[in-house]
Amino acid sequence: ERGSAASLFSAVAGESLSDLNFGKAFADILEAEEGQATRLILTFAQSEARTFTDAHWRAVSDLSRIGLKFALTDVTDLDMDFE
């Protein structure tokens, strides 16, 4: 409302990403708040991303389609492949 274009980083747990109720509710809120999804950057630890299942990656993909961005925290090496 104040015209800020700043981004907001927020940590998210992999467990939340794989929870269908969380993902749907989160997507509904962001779709209702037009333009806010592009300002939000969800973060998760590299060690947690290494344990993501296909369900986790589907959730990341679904959320990215509505404009969300993602970032890794606690990076210990660059040995990861993000197709």
Side-chain angles (χ1 to χ4, degrees), residues 45-76:
Q46 182 182 33
S47 60
E48 188 169 25
R50 290 186 192 282
T51 67
F52 280 7
T53 64
D54 287 343
H56 290 100
W57 290 117
R58 275 192 302 277
V60 168
S61 179
D62 290 347
L63 291 170
S64 72
R65 277 196 277 283
I66 61 171
L68 271 140
K69 298 175 195 141
F70 302 90
L72 287 178
T73 59
D74 303 319
V75 175
T76 58

Side-chain angles (χ1 to χ4, degrees), residues 2-80:
R2 293 181 287 174
S4 175
S7 293
L8 173 67
F9 286 79
S10 179
V12 65
E15 185 177 323
S16 295
L17 287 174
S18 64
D19 181 323
L20 295 176
N21 292 325
F22 170 82
K24 178 162 176 22
F26 195 63
D28 289 347
I29 290 167
L30 289 174
E31 287 173 352
E33 295 293 326
E34 194 171 320
Q36 298 304 313
T38 60
R39 296 178 58 196
L40 182 60
I41 300 169
L42 296 181
T43 67
F44 38 83
Q46 182 182 33
S47 60
E48 188 169 25
R50 290 186 192 282
T51 67
F52 280 7
T53 64
D54 287 343
H56 290 100
W57 290 117
R58 275 192 302 277
V60 168
S61 179
D62 290 347
L63 291 170
S64 72
R65 277 196 277 283
I66 61 171
L68 271 140
K69 298 175 195 141
F70 302 90
L72 287 178
T73 59
D74 303 319
V75 175
T76 58
D77 62 65
L78 300 177
D79 186 25
M80 290 190 81

